[in-house]
PDB file of all heavy atoms in Angstrom:
ATOM      1  N   VAL A   1       0.528  -5.516  -6.702  1.00  0.00           N
ATOM      2  CA  VAL A   1       0.916  -4.225  -6.128  1.00  0.00           C
ATOM      3  C   VAL A   1       1.064  -4.353  -4.613  1.00  0.00           C
ATOM      4  O   VAL A   1       2.027  -3.836  -4.029  1.00  0.00           O
ATOM      5  CB  VAL A   1      -0.115  -3.129  -6.498  1.00  0.00           C
ATOM      6  CG1 VAL A   1       0.145  -1.843  -5.722  1.00  0.00           C
ATOM      7  CG2 VAL A   1      -0.087  -2.862  -8.000  1.00  0.00           C
ATOM      8  N   GLN A   2       0.153  -5.074  -3.991  1.00  0.00           N
ATOM      9  CA  GLN A   2       0.254  -5.275  -2.542  1.00  0.00           C
ATOM     10  C   GLN A   2       1.567  -5.974  -2.171  1.00  0.00           C
ATOM     11  O   GLN A   2       2.210  -5.615  -1.189  1.00  0.00           O
ATOM     12  CB  GLN A   2      -0.925  -6.105  -2.024  1.00  0.00           C
ATOM     13  CG  GLN A   2      -2.223  -5.330  -1.973  1.00  0.00           C
ATOM     14  CD  GLN A   2      -3.326  -6.134  -1.330  1.00  0.00           C
ATOM     15  OE1 GLN A   2      -3.310  -6.341  -0.126  1.00  0.00           O
ATOM     16  NE2 GLN A   2      -4.264  -6.595  -2.139  1.00  0.00           N
ATOM     17  N   SER A   3       1.961  -6.980  -2.952  1.00  0.00           N
ATOM     18  CA  SER A   3       3.202  -7.686  -2.614  1.00  0.00           C
ATOM     19  C   SER A   3       4.428  -6.793  -2.766  1.00  0.00           C
ATOM     20  O   SER A   3       5.385  -6.938  -2.015  1.00  0.00           O
ATOM     21  CB  SER A   3       3.400  -8.988  -3.371  1.00  0.00           C
ATOM     22  OG  SER A   3       2.812  -9.027  -4.574  1.00  0.00           O
ATOM     23  N   VAL A   4       4.388  -5.853  -3.699  1.00  0.00           N
ATOM     24  CA  VAL A   4       5.514  -4.925  -3.854  1.00  0.00           C
ATOM     25  C   VAL A   4       5.589  -3.982  -2.644  1.00  0.00           C
ATOM     26  O   VAL A   4       6.679  -3.625  -2.193  1.00  0.00           O
ATOM     27  CB  VAL A   4       5.387  -4.118  -5.168  1.00  0.00           C
ATOM     28  CG1 VAL A   4       6.414  -2.998  -5.236  1.00  0.00           C
ATOM     29  CG2 VAL A   4       5.527  -5.038  -6.382  1.00  0.00           C
ATOM     30  N   LEU A   5       4.450  -3.603  -2.094  1.00  0.00           N
ATOM     31  CA  LEU A   5       4.415  -2.672  -0.956  1.00  0.00           C
ATOM     32  C   LEU A   5       4.540  -3.368   0.403  1.00  0.00           C
ATOM     33  O   LEU A   5       4.862  -2.730   1.402  1.00  0.00           O
ATOM     34  CB  LEU A   5       3.107  -1.868  -0.998  1.00  0.00           C
ATOM     35  CG  LEU A   5       2.886  -0.997  -2.241  1.00  0.00           C
ATOM     36  CD1 LEU A   5       1.489  -0.392  -2.220  1.00  0.00           C
ATOM     37  CD2 LEU A   5       3.947   0.075  -2.359  1.00  0.00           C
ATOM     38  N   LYS A   6       4.303  -4.667   0.439  1.00  0.00           N
ATOM     39  CA  LYS A   6       4.238  -5.436   1.692  1.00  0.00           C
ATOM     40  C   LYS A   6       5.450  -5.280   2.614  1.00  0.00           C
ATOM     41  O   LYS A   6       5.270  -5.152   3.835  1.00  0.00           O
ATOM     42  CB  LYS A   6       4.029  -6.919   1.364  1.00  0.00           C
ATOM     43  CG  LYS A   6       3.925  -7.816   2.576  1.00  0.00           C
ATOM     44  CD  LYS A   6       2.503  -8.178   2.819  1.00  0.00           C
ATOM     45  CE  LYS A   6       2.411  -9.180   3.955  1.00  0.00           C
ATOM     46  NZ  LYS A   6       1.699  -8.622   5.097  1.00  0.00           N
ATOM     47  N   PRO A   7       6.689  -5.262   2.111  1.00  0.00           N
ATOM     48  CA  PRO A   7       7.820  -5.138   3.032  1.00  0.00           C
ATOM     49  C   PRO A   7       7.758  -3.896   3.934  1.00  0.00           C
ATOM     50  O   PRO A   7       8.366  -3.871   4.989  1.00  0.00           O
ATOM     51  CB  PRO A   7       9.038  -5.096   2.108  1.00  0.00           C
ATOM     52  CG  PRO A   7       8.601  -5.845   0.895  1.00  0.00           C
ATOM     53  CD  PRO A   7       7.143  -5.481   0.736  1.00  0.00           C
ATOM     54  N   ASP A   8       7.037  -2.865   3.512  1.00  0.00           N
ATOM     55  CA  ASP A   8       6.934  -1.629   4.302  1.00  0.00           C
ATOM     56  C   ASP A   8       5.515  -1.398   4.812  1.00  0.00           C
ATOM     57  O   ASP A   8       5.146  -0.263   5.118  1.00  0.00           O
ATOM     58  CB  ASP A   8       7.396  -0.435   3.468  1.00  0.00           C
ATOM     59  CG  ASP A   8       8.891  -0.448   3.276  1.00  0.00           C
ATOM     60  OD1 ASP A   8       9.597  -0.124   4.243  1.00  0.00           O
ATOM     61  OD2 ASP A   8       9.339  -0.825   2.174  1.00  0.00           O
ATOM     62  N   GLU A   9       4.763  -2.455   4.943  1.00  0.00           N
ATOM     63  CA  GLU A   9       3.368  -2.333   5.370  1.00  0.00           C
ATOM     64  C   GLU A   9       3.234  -1.578   6.689  1.00  0.00           C
ATOM     65  O   GLU A   9       2.340  -0.742   6.848  1.00  0.00           O
ATOM     66  CB  GLU A   9       2.752  -3.731   5.499  1.00  0.00           C
ATOM     67  CG  GLU A   9       1.295  -3.723   5.882  1.00  0.00           C
ATOM     68  CD  GLU A   9       0.688  -5.120   5.867  1.00  0.00           C
ATOM     69  OE1 GLU A   9       1.442  -6.116   5.862  1.00  0.00           O
ATOM     70  OE2 GLU A   9      -0.549  -5.201   5.876  1.00  0.00           O
ATOM     71  N   ASP A  10       4.137  -1.817   7.613  1.00  0.00           N
ATOM     72  CA  ASP A  10       4.052  -1.166   8.923  1.00  0.00           C
ATOM     73  C   ASP A  10       4.342   0.338   8.861  1.00  0.00           C
ATOM     74  O   ASP A  10       4.012   1.073   9.780  1.00  0.00           O
ATOM     75  CB  ASP A  10       4.983  -1.853   9.924  1.00  0.00           C
ATOM     76  CG  ASP A  10       6.436  -1.833   9.490  1.00  0.00           C
ATOM     77  OD1 ASP A  10       6.712  -1.824   8.273  1.00  0.00           O
ATOM     78  OD2 ASP A  10       7.304  -1.830  10.385  1.00  0.00           O
ATOM     79  N   ARG A  11       4.930   0.819   7.779  1.00  0.00           N
ATOM     80  CA  ARG A  11       5.226   2.250   7.605  1.00  0.00           C
ATOM     81  C   ARG A  11       4.089   3.001   6.933  1.00  0.00           C
ATOM     82  O   ARG A  11       4.083   4.234   6.916  1.00  0.00           O
ATOM     83  CB  ARG A  11       6.486   2.432   6.754  1.00  0.00           C
ATOM     84  CG  ARG A  11       7.758   1.967   7.422  1.00  0.00           C
ATOM     85  CD  ARG A  11       8.962   2.123   6.516  1.00  0.00           C
ATOM     86  NE  ARG A  11       9.125   3.509   6.071  1.00  0.00           N
ATOM     87  CZ  ARG A  11       9.806   3.848   4.976  1.00  0.00           C
ATOM     88  NH1 ARG A  11      10.377   2.925   4.232  1.00  0.00           N
ATOM     89  NH2 ARG A  11       9.925   5.111   4.630  1.00  0.00           N
ATOM     90  N   LEU A  12       3.137   2.291   6.346  1.00  0.00           N
ATOM     91  CA  LEU A  12       2.067   2.929   5.571  1.00  0.00           C
ATOM     92  C   LEU A  12       0.938   3.399   6.481  1.00  0.00           C
ATOM     93  O   LEU A  12       0.544   2.696   7.409  1.00  0.00           O
ATOM     94  CB  LEU A  12       1.535   1.948   4.520  1.00  0.00           C
ATOM     95  CG  LEU A  12       2.571   1.414   3.527  1.00  0.00           C
ATOM     96  CD1 LEU A  12       1.947   0.369   2.620  1.00  0.00           C
ATOM     97  CD2 LEU A  12       3.178   2.542   2.715  1.00  0.00           C
ATOM     98  N   ARG A  13       0.424   4.578   6.195  1.00  0.00           N
ATOM     99  CA  ARG A  13      -0.709   5.128   6.952  1.00  0.00           C
ATOM    100  C   ARG A  13      -2.003   4.411   6.647  1.00  0.00           C
ATOM    101  O   ARG A  13      -2.904   4.361   7.458  1.00  0.00           O
ATOM    102  CB  ARG A  13      -0.900   6.603   6.576  1.00  0.00           C
ATOM    103  CG  ARG A  13      -0.465   7.566   7.598  1.00  0.00           C
ATOM    104  CD  ARG A  13      -0.833   8.986   7.252  1.00  0.00           C
ATOM    105  NE  ARG A  13      -1.896   9.082   6.277  1.00  0.00           N
ATOM    106  CZ  ARG A  13      -2.040  10.084   5.436  1.00  0.00           C
ATOM    107  NH1 ARG A  13      -1.192  11.054   5.426  1.00  0.00           N
ATOM    108  NH2 ARG A  13      -3.026  10.114   4.584  1.00  0.00           N
ATOM    109  N   LEU A  14      -2.108   3.879   5.431  1.00  0.00           N
ATOM    110  CA  LEU A  14      -3.318   3.186   5.002  1.00  0.00           C
ATOM    111  C   LEU A  14      -3.087   1.679   5.015  1.00  0.00           C
ATOM    112  O   LEU A  14      -1.953   1.234   4.851  1.00  0.00           O
ATOM    113  CB  LEU A  14      -3.684   3.609   3.563  1.00  0.00           C
ATOM    114  CG  LEU A  14      -4.014   5.075   3.329  1.00  0.00           C
ATOM    115  CD1 LEU A  14      -4.177   5.339   1.836  1.00  0.00           C
ATOM    116  CD2 LEU A  14      -5.280   5.459   4.074  1.00  0.00           C
ATOM    117  N   PRO A  15      -4.171   0.914   5.157  1.00  0.00           N
ATOM    118  CA  PRO A  15      -4.029  -0.540   5.018  1.00  0.00           C
ATOM    119  C   PRO A  15      -3.462  -0.877   3.628  1.00  0.00           C
ATOM    120  O   PRO A  15      -3.684  -0.146   2.654  1.00  0.00           O
ATOM    121  CB  PRO A  15      -5.455  -1.066   5.178  1.00  0.00           C
ATOM    122  CG  PRO A  15      -6.184   0.023   5.902  1.00  0.00           C
ATOM    123  CD  PRO A  15      -5.530   1.308   5.484  1.00  0.00           C
ATOM    124  N   LEU A  16      -2.746  -1.965   3.552  1.00  0.00           N
ATOM    125  CA  LEU A  16      -2.069  -2.370   2.323  1.00  0.00           C
ATOM    126  C   LEU A  16      -3.013  -2.427   1.123  1.00  0.00           C
ATOM    127  O   LEU A  16      -2.693  -1.929   0.044  1.00  0.00           O
ATOM    128  CB  LEU A  16      -1.401  -3.734   2.551  1.00  0.00           C
ATOM    129  CG  LEU A  16      -0.377  -4.191   1.539  1.00  0.00           C
ATOM    130  CD1 LEU A  16       0.749  -3.187   1.397  1.00  0.00           C
ATOM    131  CD2 LEU A  16       0.174  -5.543   1.954  1.00  0.00           C
ATOM    132  N   ALA A  17      -4.185  -3.019   1.306  1.00  0.00           N
ATOM    133  CA  ALA A  17      -5.155  -3.131   0.198  1.00  0.00           C
ATOM    134  C   ALA A  17      -5.605  -1.755  -0.274  1.00  0.00           C
ATOM    135  O   ALA A  17      -5.740  -1.505  -1.481  1.00  0.00           O
ATOM    136  CB  ALA A  17      -6.353  -3.971   0.624  1.00  0.00           C
ATOM    137  N   ASP A  18      -5.831  -0.834   0.657  1.00  0.00           N
ATOM    138  CA  ASP A  18      -6.250   0.526   0.290  1.00  0.00           C
ATOM    139  C   ASP A  18      -5.124   1.250  -0.446  1.00  0.00           C
ATOM    140  O   ASP A  18      -5.359   1.990  -1.405  1.00  0.00           O
ATOM    141  CB  ASP A  18      -6.645   1.326   1.527  1.00  0.00           C
ATOM    142  CG  ASP A  18      -7.909   0.817   2.193  1.00  0.00           C
ATOM    143  OD1 ASP A  18      -8.583  -0.064   1.611  1.00  0.00           O
ATOM    144  OD2 ASP A  18      -8.224   1.290   3.304  1.00  0.00           O
ATOM    145  N   MET A  19      -3.905   1.044   0.014  1.00  0.00           N
ATOM    146  CA  MET A  19      -2.743   1.671  -0.632  1.00  0.00           C
ATOM    147  C   MET A  19      -2.615   1.181  -2.077  1.00  0.00           C
ATOM    148  O   MET A  19      -2.380   1.975  -2.990  1.00  0.00           O
ATOM    149  CB  MET A  19      -1.491   1.348   0.171  1.00  0.00           C
ATOM    150  CG  MET A  19      -0.295   2.148  -0.210  1.00  0.00           C
ATOM    151  SD  MET A  19      -0.500   3.878   0.239  1.00  0.00           S
ATOM    152  CE  MET A  19       1.011   4.502  -0.453  1.00  0.00           C
ATOM    153  N   ALA A  20      -2.795  -0.116  -2.293  1.00  0.00           N
ATOM    154  CA  ALA A  20      -2.719  -0.674  -3.648  1.00  0.00           C
ATOM    155  C   ALA A  20      -3.818  -0.083  -4.527  1.00  0.00           C
ATOM    156  O   ALA A  20      -3.574   0.267  -5.687  1.00  0.00           O
ATOM    157  CB  ALA A  20      -2.821  -2.198  -3.594  1.00  0.00           C
ATOM    158  N   THR A  21      -5.018   0.047  -3.979  1.00  0.00           N
ATOM    159  CA  THR A  21      -6.130   0.635  -4.743  1.00  0.00           C
ATOM    160  C   THR A  21      -5.823   2.075  -5.117  1.00  0.00           C
ATOM    161  O   THR A  21      -6.048   2.493  -6.259  1.00  0.00           O
ATOM    162  CB  THR A  21      -7.443   0.567  -3.924  1.00  0.00           C
ATOM    163  OG1 THR A  21      -7.733  -0.802  -3.643  1.00  0.00           O
ATOM    164  CG2 THR A  21      -8.603   1.196  -4.680  1.00  0.00           C
ATOM    165  N   LEU A  22      -5.283   2.832  -4.183  1.00  0.00           N
ATOM    166  CA  LEU A  22      -4.929   4.228  -4.440  1.00  0.00           C
ATOM    167  C   LEU A  22      -3.897   4.343  -5.554  1.00  0.00           C
ATOM    168  O   LEU A  22      -4.072   5.120  -6.501  1.00  0.00           O
ATOM    169  CB  LEU A  22      -4.386   4.862  -3.154  1.00  0.00           C
ATOM    170  CG  LEU A  22      -3.849   6.283  -3.267  1.00  0.00           C
ATOM    171  CD1 LEU A  22      -4.997   7.259  -3.427  1.00  0.00           C
ATOM    172  CD2 LEU A  22      -3.018   6.636  -2.050  1.00  0.00           C
ATOM    173  N   VAL A  23      -2.844   3.559  -5.456  1.00  0.00           N
ATOM    174  CA  VAL A  23      -1.789   3.594  -6.477  1.00  0.00           C
ATOM    175  C   VAL A  23      -2.361   3.242  -7.847  1.00  0.00           C
ATOM    176  O   VAL A  23      -2.129   3.948  -8.833  1.00  0.00           O
ATOM    177  CB  VAL A  23      -0.627   2.635  -6.108  1.00  0.00           C
ATOM    178  CG1 VAL A  23       0.340   2.475  -7.267  1.00  0.00           C
ATOM    179  CG2 VAL A  23       0.099   3.125  -4.868  1.00  0.00           C
ATOM    180  N   LEU A  24      -3.124   2.160  -7.917  1.00  0.00           N
ATOM    181  CA  LEU A  24      -3.681   1.734  -9.212  1.00  0.00           C
ATOM    182  C   LEU A  24      -4.659   2.755  -9.773  1.00  0.00           C
ATOM    183  O   LEU A  24      -4.668   3.012 -10.980  1.00  0.00           O
ATOM    184  CB  LEU A  24      -4.343   0.367  -9.075  1.00  0.00           C
ATOM    185  CG  LEU A  24      -3.371  -0.797  -8.915  1.00  0.00           C
ATOM    186  CD1 LEU A  24      -4.119  -2.091  -8.612  1.00  0.00           C
ATOM    187  CD2 LEU A  24      -2.505  -0.957 -10.146  1.00  0.00           C
ATOM    188  N   THR A  25      -5.475   3.348  -8.932  1.00  0.00           N
ATOM    189  CA  THR A  25      -6.444   4.341  -9.397  1.00  0.00           C
ATOM    190  C   THR A  25      -5.737   5.511 -10.055  1.00  0.00           C
ATOM    191  O   THR A  25      -6.102   5.942 -11.153  1.00  0.00           O
ATOM    192  CB  THR A  25      -7.306   4.829  -8.221  1.00  0.00           C
ATOM    193  OG1 THR A  25      -8.017   3.711  -7.672  1.00  0.00           O
ATOM    194  CG2 THR A  25      -8.306   5.882  -8.672  1.00  0.00           C
ATOM    195  N   ILE A  26      -4.703   6.009  -9.406  1.00  0.00           N
ATOM    196  CA  ILE A  26      -3.978   7.170  -9.943  1.00  0.00           C
ATOM    197  C   ILE A  26      -3.212   6.801 -11.215  1.00  0.00           C
ATOM    198  O   ILE A  26      -3.308   7.480 -12.235  1.00  0.00           O
ATOM    199  CB  ILE A  26      -3.007   7.740  -8.885  1.00  0.00           C
ATOM    200  CG1 ILE A  26      -3.793   8.331  -7.722  1.00  0.00           C
ATOM    201  CG2 ILE A  26      -2.081   8.782  -9.501  1.00  0.00           C
ATOM    202  CD1 ILE A  26      -2.947   8.677  -6.510  1.00  0.00           C
TER     203      ILE A  26
END
């Protein structure tokens, strides 16, 4: 999941690892 989001890492409000956790949790 992190690798799918990585190209836009600089646009995310949360760190990449946290974003991946959020997506997977939901």
Side-chain angles (χ1 to χ4, degrees):
V1 171
Q2 286 186 72
S3 28
V4 171
L5 299 173
K6 181 103 175 116
D8 288 285
E9 182 174 16
D10 59 330
R11 292 178 57 202
L12 302 175
R13 254 187 20 208
L14 298 173
L16 194 57
D18 292 352
M19 192 68 184
T21 300
L22 175 73
V23 170
L24 288 173
T25 299
I26 293 169

